[in-house]
Amino acid sequence: MSTYAKKILKNFDFPLFFTYFLLCSFGLVMIYSASMGTAVNRYYAKADNYFNKQLFNLAIAFPVFFLAAIFPYKNYKRKGMMALSLLGMFVLLFLVHFIGSGDHVGANSWIKTPFGNIQPSEVAKLVIIIYFASVFAKKYESGTIDNINQSIGPPVGILVIAVGSIMMETDIGTSFIIVIGALSVLAASGIKKRTFFKISGIISLGLFLAGLILYFQWDNIMNDSRTGRLLSFLNPFDYITGSGYQIANGYIAIGSGGLKGYGLGNSIQKMGYLPEPHTDVIMAVISEELGLFGSIIVIGGLGFIVLKALVIAMQARDPHARMLAAGIGSVIGIQTFVNLGGLTGLIPLTGVPLPFISYGGTSVILLSLSLGILMNVSMFVKFEKNNRKGSAL
């Protein structure tokens, strides 16, 4: 066995992997339970239609995770890798405005291909994190990270263009997640507080200008579905026959589950009351069928991954490793908040999937890639820590 393979096995983060595997497996079971009625009654397909599709997605996602786990994270700093990633992201973000689909659910966010749908905004989440971590790691090494003139231009410009494009879809939830993820990378980069606030201000100004464009194009962009989500936010029961239908029935599902739930497969709200219950509102079905116990599995698992990422970031001596871990952990944490916050009425429902649980190929594959990168960083940090202990002895 090669030396590199031995290092991987010795430093492999099994708690992180098993939590990831548990969440994906649990999500697969719940997708089957949540989608049975929709598949048969609405799309006239087999009851296991979405289960089989997600199983296929996971058959791609797991190898992607392991490939990312063994691929040295330092390679992401290479100019060719960064340029190729940014080119792919911008091509997809450009194409989605011309050949995108999904307007019936409030956002033209998907590109249909013979191999399945691709969601460019999901690609952008990871690419921005990798790009920001790589760029600011180089600036940290060169000692120019606190020089606004040298640090601000390209990375912030790329962020504003990417987020502005996603806002025009309009996918406000994902835009928010990407901005917070980018700021998390900056916060972990080692820059001075004054520099951080200056950069944050410039990013906010850029997004404000993008928001103005969105406002003046409101009538062209905001269809009934998008407007309805905003109107039904404060009291969905006032719009229960229209835009508040899904969120109101989500409340009913969560409230009726109680501590124990009705039992796996016994949700009532999934039988036509929750449109597409296997996607962004799957937590409502989990709460109704498995009660508080099912909710704890999901929230506990996702919370563990986020905390693990932040611990890895704090232990990492390499700024690049620290920024990657912080960015990936923050994106998963914020995405979880946006999904559950929308379902529980804290914020408007945005259609953002619940990480590793909701149905979706692009989401689970790219999240698996993200977690594979985090695993590689974790193994590097553990290896470095063990070497320091060995040297001390």
Side-chain angles (χ1 to χ4, degrees):
M1 187 181 291
S2 69
T3 304
Y4 186 64
K6 288 180 181 178
K7 287 179 181 178
I8 289 174
L9 289 175
K10 185 178 180 180
N11 298 292
F12 195 77
D13 195 332
F14 286 100
L16 180 62
F17 170 71
F18 285 130
T19 304
Y20 158 69
F21 183 79
L22 172 66
L23 286 172
C24 289
S25 301
F26 183 77
L28 185 63
V29 172
M30 293 312 305
I31 285 168
Y32 178 72
S33 176
S35 67
M36 289 188 298
T38 301
V40 173
N41 300 324
R42 186 172 178 181
Y43 295 108
Y44 306 104
K46 293 182 179 179
D48 61 355
N49 179 57
Y50 290 104
F51 171 86
N52 289 332
K53 288 182 177 180
Q54 189 70 355
L55 189 62
F56 176 77
N57 293 333
L58 290 175
I60 299 173
F62 286 144
V64 165
F65 168 85
F66 284 109
L67 286 172
I70 64 175
F71 184 74
Y73 73 87
K74 293 184 179 182
N75 287 316
Y76 296 112
K77 280 199 297 185
R78 293 183 176 181
K79 289 183 179 180
M81 179 74 76
M82 286 194 290
L84 187 61
S85 299
L86 289 175
L87 177 63
M89 178 188 75
F90 280 122
V91 167
L92 290 173
L93 289 176
F94 175 78
L95 289 176
V96 77
H97 291 287
F98 296 94
I99 59 174
S101 61
D103 193 63
H104 62 289
V105 294
N108 283 313
S109 300
W110 291 270
I111 296 175
K112 291 184 177 180
T113 74
F115 310 102
N117 295 338
I118 298 175
Q119 193 169 358
S121 58
E122 292 290 329
V123 176
K125 282 181 198 172
L126 181 56
V127 171
I128 291 295
I129 293 299
I130 291 174
Y131 174 69
F132 260 58
S134 300
V135 167
F136 284 98
K138 287 185 175 183
K139 293 184 183 300
Y140 183 90
E141 292 166 1
S142 65
T144 61
I145 195 167
D146 286 301
N147 188 318
I148 290 291
N149 293 331
Q150 294 185 41
S151 297
I152 193 63
V156 173
I158 284 172
L159 174 66
V160 170
I161 293 171
V163 171
S165 176
I166 294 169
M167 288 175 68
M168 294 296 290
E169 292 181 18
T170 53
D171 189 346
I172 306 299
T174 302
S175 302
F176 176 73
I177 293 168
I178 292 174
V179 170
I180 297 299
L183 289 175
S184 299
V185 172
L186 279 174
S189 66
I191 64 173
K192 296 177 181 177
K193 289 183 180 179
R194 184 174 61 183
T195 310
F196 175 76
F197 287 123
K198 283 182 180 180
I199 295 176
S200 299
I202 294 171
I203 292 173
S204 300
L205 177 61
L207 294 176
F208 174 74
L209 294 175
L212 281 180
I213 295 173
L214 183 66
Y215 175 79
F216 286 113
Q217 293 294 317
W218 188 266
D219 292 336
N220 296 326
I221 294 172
M222 296 302 289
N223 58 18
D224 292 340
S225 174
R226 294 164 183 157
T227 305
R229 287 188 179 188
L230 294 176
L231 293 175
S232 60
F233 162 52
L234 294 176
N235 192 353
F237 291 96
D238 287 346
Y239 302 90
I240 196 167
T241 58
S243 57
Y245 181 79
Q246 176 161 276
I247 188 65
N249 282 290
Y251 286 177
I252 294 170
I254 294 170
S256 60
L259 291 176
K260 298 179 179 179
Y262 291 150
L264 184 64
N266 295 326
S267 166
I268 297 171
Q269 300 306 118
K270 71 182 181 184
M271 304 304 291
Y273 298 101
L274 284 171
E276 310 293 343
H278 52 293
T279 56
D280 57 306
V281 294
I282 194 170
M283 192 63 170
V285 177
I286 293 172
S287 298
E288 187 179 11
E289 294 189 348
L290 302 178
L292 183 62
F293 175 73
S295 301
I296 288 174
I297 290 177
V298 176
I299 297 172
L302 290 169
F304 174 80
I305 289 176
V306 173
L307 289 175
K308 183 72 173 177
L310 297 180
V311 169
I312 292 169
M314 288 187 288
Q315 292 178 341
R317 288 191 170 187
D318 180 10
H320 189 206
R322 182 173 66 241
M323 286 184 265
L324 280 172
I328 291 169
S330 297
V331 163
I332 293 173
I334 293 298
Q335 182 167 331
T336 300
F337 168 77
V338 170
N339 176 277
L340 298 181
L343 191 59
T344 55
L346 293 175
I347 59 176
L349 193 66
T350 60
V352 168
L354 185 60
F356 307 109
I357 305 296
S358 294
Y359 171 80
T362 307
S363 176
V364 75
I365 290 170
L366 287 169
L367 282 167
S368 296
L369 176 58
S370 300
L371 220 59
I373 295 171
L374 181 63
M375 173 64 79
N376 187 263
V377 172
S378 175
M379 290 191 294
F380 172 82
V381 170
K382 189 176 179 181
F383 173 75
E384 189 181 50
K385 188 177 179 181
N386 290 337
N387 272 4
R388 289 200 302 271
K389 285 182 179 179
S391 299
L393 294 174

